Amino acid sequence: MLLASIVVLAGIYALLGSGFVIIYKASRILNFAHAEIVMLAGYLAVSLAVAIPFSAASLLAVLCFCFVLGMSIYAILIRPLAGYSVLSAIILTVAVGVLLNAVGVFVWRGEMEVIPFGWRTYFSLPGNIRLSSIEFATLGIVTLFYACMGLFYRFTKIGQQMRATAENPLLAAQRGISIYRISGIAWGIGFAAAGLAAFLLGINYAISLQIGNIAVAAFVVALIGGLDSLLGTIPAAFIIAATEQLTITYANPRLGDAIPFIIMLMVLMFKPWGLLGTKEELDRV
Amino acid sequence: MSDHKILQYPKSPYLKTSYYEDTAIQAFDTPFRKKCLVIGLLFWVCFPFVASSYVVHIANLSAIAAIGAMSLNLLIGNTGLLSLGHAGFMGAGAFTTAIMTVQFGLPIWIVIPASGIVGALLGLIAGLPSFQLKGIYLGLSTLAIHHIIKYGCSEYQYYGGFGYGIVLEAPSLGPLLLAGKTVWFFVLWISAFATALLIANLLRSKPGRAWSAIRDRDIAAEVSGIDIGFYKILAFVVSSSLISMQGSLYAYYTAVVSVEEYSFGLTVSYLAMIIVGGLGSVLGSFLGALLITALPYALIILAGLVDLSFAVKEHFSVIQTGVFGMVVILFLLLEPLGLVEIWRRVRCYFELWPFSYKPLTIIKR
Amino acid sequence: MSSNIPERGGGGDSRGVMSPILEVNDVSIAFGGLQALSEVSFNVLPGELLGIIGPNGAGKTVVLNCINGIHPPDSGDILFKGRSIRGLACHKIAALGIGRTFQHSELFQRMTVMENVILGRHIYLKTNILTGGIFWGPGRREEVRAREKAEMIMDFLELTMYRKEKVGNLAYGIQKIVGLARALAGEPRLILVDELGTGLMRQEKEDVARFLLRIHHESKTAIVWIEHDMQLITEICDRLICLSFGRKIKEGTPEEVIADPEVIESYLGKRSHTVPD
């Protein structure tokens, strides 16, 4: 039971972390508004699930909404800040988060809601593990997402342009890649990943104002995996989910909240670029 | 003799005739500015007796916020080190106060320096990663330290059985009982001015120059003989020690210490203050602290003027949050140098009037 | 200009007696697969003006970075006043008396010229957090003294009219001089000057040459000067070193070095040319 919950939580963490990573890779900005996007997308999914009977359709609508939101936030707010210090960009995303949080609370009143997902049957696996259908669906969706992202980065033109931009924006721009368009799309995809994660959180647990805390832990996941490594989020998500669940079960929940940050501090001290991240360039005189 | 008389012009207030004079703080050097200072001081002394207790309360909160903003600005604006953990240091100060007063019954003049020392130690630990980390990575390590401090505090609050908060008694400084908004007004504002003076002094002497040099170009700073590791840690220690003492003052002032208060949101509001006020400027910290602290209360007053629907009134705190976010975004996009730049422009306009050429500045951060 | 210069070196007879202030012995450094320097060695005598020339990418700046401690060398040793400074931290090397100017100025853009120059005196100031925070008594007196010294240097380099300008607002040529002022403020025994003349107009270059000569003659500070302007560097320097692809290919008087066929080849390629006169 514990193992199953760790795996499911790790899947969601990985998904949330990948949102950070996709955005950071393209624009070198850490999106502190991620938690609020998750909350907003979650509530939107709840409302849509009530309105539209097909969950796939409502999921698609949420993803589209998040994609457009991500692109527009990039175009309207982040892009004008190009060339400013890292601090400005951070504060901007934090402020966007504050604003979105206010919008979310104002519209949805901050109540706790669950996305109705119909059937929930249980499957027994060897080794005394029971997984519900929802948990299977969650893992399936996460795996599918990673497969899609892998193929996207490897084979599509935009994906390759994104990799080029991540490696060297200046050179990419000189080769005729519109780095603003690419970053905008990356922000869209990153937000869509957050929307997907919100949907999965909604069907597995519940959507509430505190959902953002989970996104904060995911942010630790992104850092431990390496801020520019999509693949790194998977082992990092497992590490965080496992330690967090184990401390909550065997120690106390307050330590459970703090443990991801303790791990993050240790990673920053000894391996600052994360498990699979690339070392960022030093200055040259 | 008459020739001699012609030459006796009154000395220009802008003219400095010794380097000693030139090292003074330039804010109050002309007769006009001195008059402004005197009028300001008179206003300041009269303020708590004239204004309503509610307004004095806001002013007190602004003074506390100003100390915090100045200490954060010292780190971010002057040294160029990102900290996302200042709420943690503030909480550490507040909890040190709580533990020392509730459990050991120590007086305020021991508790506040002790909080400063605790803050300095935590700052030392938080500053250690700055040896190898820069920018966002450093910010994240301080965020982690914030969460660890918060965890420690919540454990204390939980096992101490304090429920929703630790209640403190009003402290007394000698014969003076520090209770009531008016007394605290003077205590807090004098602390704020003292902090401002301390930081202004540091900025115009060796440590401040070293910090600015590290912010602008760390390799060149190192080659000029600055031990950048030491000065980075020093900036962390000074900043966190100040904000820790501020947390202690805040705990005494509100008389309740609760771990929920020292969340990441508090760091965000301090960051907002220095962004809105102006990075690297003591005056900017003051202006930003005033604006951000007074904003929600100003909104309440504004809301009282117009007739609002019930739905809006019910979620007024949400609107306050939203406006806060909006103000920060607008400042970042439209006036990234903050209120202090607006202030400078206004001052330049009047100083140069009737001419309109502005002195150059770098529009770069 | 050269007609105004007195006898070169300010005392050539004593040179044989003096031990070198800086000895670079077989220094090698590689960045990844690139061998930036291979077994470079040279000496700098006290009060000497040594020029380093070489085509782009020859490793000239890397030599200075090695001396400064920005890049500790992989092998070899660097002795300053007979003491090994290899592996010492940058700021400690600076405190021993090695000043440095940078190719792209690397100034503190948001500080004024005056603050930049006073910062150059950092190693001499004793103000700490306490005396600085009080800024009354010793802290302030020291500040005034540092200011006096800084004013002398600014006066020497003709920067006084810019003293309260933010460095970022100044013209490129003036920024370079501010860089020199900052290095001089530390009263170094050896200044490493990296392409001070690059990107300047003729007139500014002559100013630079004048300043360097004055430093050379008046304070007897040893100078290691990297420059691309051949006319400038050959007229002024006591000695030249030519680097190419991380190796020292020639050392000697300016006339010898620029007449050397290998030096010409490193600049102009394989076909031999006559020396441009």
Side-chain angles (χ1 to χ4, degrees), chain B residues 19-20 22-24 201-202 204-206 209 212-213 216-217 220 222-223 225-227 231 234 238 362, chain C residues 90-91 94 100 106 108-110 118-119 122 125 127 129 132-135 140 143 147-148 151 164 169:
Chain B
Y19 298 136
Y20 185 82
D22 209 30
T23 55
N201 283 345
L202 285 178
R204 62 192 166 137
S205 57
K206 182 184 172 186
R209 264 195 310 273
S212 301
D216 283 356
R217 203 75 185 90
E222 209 170 357
V223 168
I226 296 170
D227 185 350
Y231 276 95
L234 189 67
V238 171
I362 322 174
Chain C
C90 276
H91 63 271
R100 168 84 189 261
E106 309 288 346
F108 310 120
Q109 302 280 324
R110 280 170 287 178
I118 299 181
L119 189 116
H122 183 88
L125 302 185
T127 309
I129 210 82
I134 297 165
F135 206 72
R140 193 164 181 180
E143 198 63 19
R147 175 74 189 278
E148 277 163 7
E151 289 288 339
K164 297 226 169 148
N169 299 336

Side-chain angles (χ1 to χ4, degrees), chain C residues 14 48 95 106 142 171 215 217 236 266:
Chain C
S14 62
E48 187 184 29
E106 309 288 346
E142 184 177 74
I215 297 164
H217 289 300
I236 292 171
S266 76

Side-chain angles (χ1 to χ4, degrees), chain A residues 30-107:
Chain A
L30 208 53
N31 177 24
F32 274 80
H34 218 70
E36 281 75 18
I37 304 295
V38 171
M39 188 199 86
L40 214 60
Y43 277 119
L44 193 72
V46 170
S47 300
L48 284 175
V50 173
I52 310 168
F54 309 105
S55 35
S58 67
L59 175 62
L60 207 63
V62 169
L63 293 188
C64 286
F65 168 78
C66 287
F67 188 81
V68 172
L69 185 70
M71 283 196 61
S72 36
I73 283 182
Y74 178 76
I76 299 166
L77 299 176
I78 308 292
R79 201 186 139 174
L81 245 60
Y84 280 43
S85 72
V86 59
L87 173 75
S88 310
I90 290 173
I91 307 287
L92 188 80
T93 58
V94 171
V96 168
V98 169
L99 197 62
L100 289 177
N101 188 30
V103 169
V105 176
F106 193 72
V107 176

Side-chain angles (χ1 to χ4, degrees), chain A residues 261-278:
Chain A
F261 291 98
I262 295 172
I263 296 176
M264 178 167 95
L265 193 64
M266 271 150 62
V267 168
L268 278 169
M269 292 271 197
F270 299 111
K271 209 168 182 309
W273 322 114
L275 293 177
L276 296 173
T278 45

Side-chain angles (χ1 to χ4, degrees), chain B residues 85-285:
Chain B
H86 263 51
F89 301 133
M90 192 177 160
F95 269 82
T96 310
T97 309
I99 293 166
M100 291 182 87
T101 48
V102 172
Q103 297 209 320
F104 303 106
L106 292 169
I108 185 168
W109 54 269
I110 291 181
V111 171
I112 287 185
S115 310
I117 290 166
V118 169
L121 287 176
L122 289 170
L124 187 70
I125 297 165
L128 285 177
S130 73
F131 273 125
Q132 53 170 343
L133 301 179
K134 267 187 191 174
I136 181 69
Y137 289 95
L138 180 62
L140 292 179
S141 78
T142 53
L143 183 65
I145 285 167
H146 165 224
H147 277 272
I148 293 167
I149 294 172
K150 213 179 138 188
Y151 164 69
C153 294
S154 68
E155 286 290 294
Y156 176 76
Q157 194 173 333
Y158 181 79
Y159 286 111
F162 293 107
Y164 291 106
I166 306 161
V167 182
L168 304 180
E169 282 173 13
S172 52
L173 197 63
L176 180 69
L177 183 70
L178 297 180
K181 304 246 180 313
T182 311
V183 177
W184 273 109
F185 177 86
F186 289 107
V187 172
L188 292 174
W189 276 97
I190 288 171
S191 321
F193 290 140
T195 313
L197 190 67
L198 175 80
I199 289 179
N201 283 345
L202 285 178
L203 291 182
R204 62 192 166 137
S205 57
K206 182 184 172 186
R209 264 195 310 273
W211 289 331
S212 301
I214 291 169
R215 170 196 65 191
D216 283 356
R217 203 75 185 90
D218 51 358
I219 292 179
E222 209 170 357
V223 168
S224 304
I226 296 170
D227 185 350
I228 57 173
F230 173 76
Y231 276 95
K232 278 178 176 179
I233 300 246
L234 189 67
F236 260 105
V237 167
V238 171
S239 174
S240 60
S241 156
L242 282 174
I243 202 160
S244 199
M245 288 195 265
Q246 176 249 23
S248 178
L249 278 175
Y250 181 66
Y252 275 124
Y253 178 62
T254 54
V256 180
V257 178
S258 164
V259 74
E260 277 76 34
E261 216 166 329
Y262 305 100
S263 63
F264 181 57
L266 191 68
T267 308
V268 171
S269 66
Y270 281 113
L271 288 171
M273 281 171 206
I274 64 172
I275 286 285
V276 167
L279 283 175
S281 153
V282 173
L283 178 67
S285 312

Side-chain angles (χ1 to χ4, degrees), chain B residues 39-60:
Chain B
I39 293 169
L41 275 178
L42 280 177
F43 176 76
W44 178 73
V45 171
C46 298
F47 181 80
F49 302 105
V50 179
S52 71
S53 132
Y54 185 58
V55 177
V56 175
H57 176 62
I58 298 169
N60 289 352

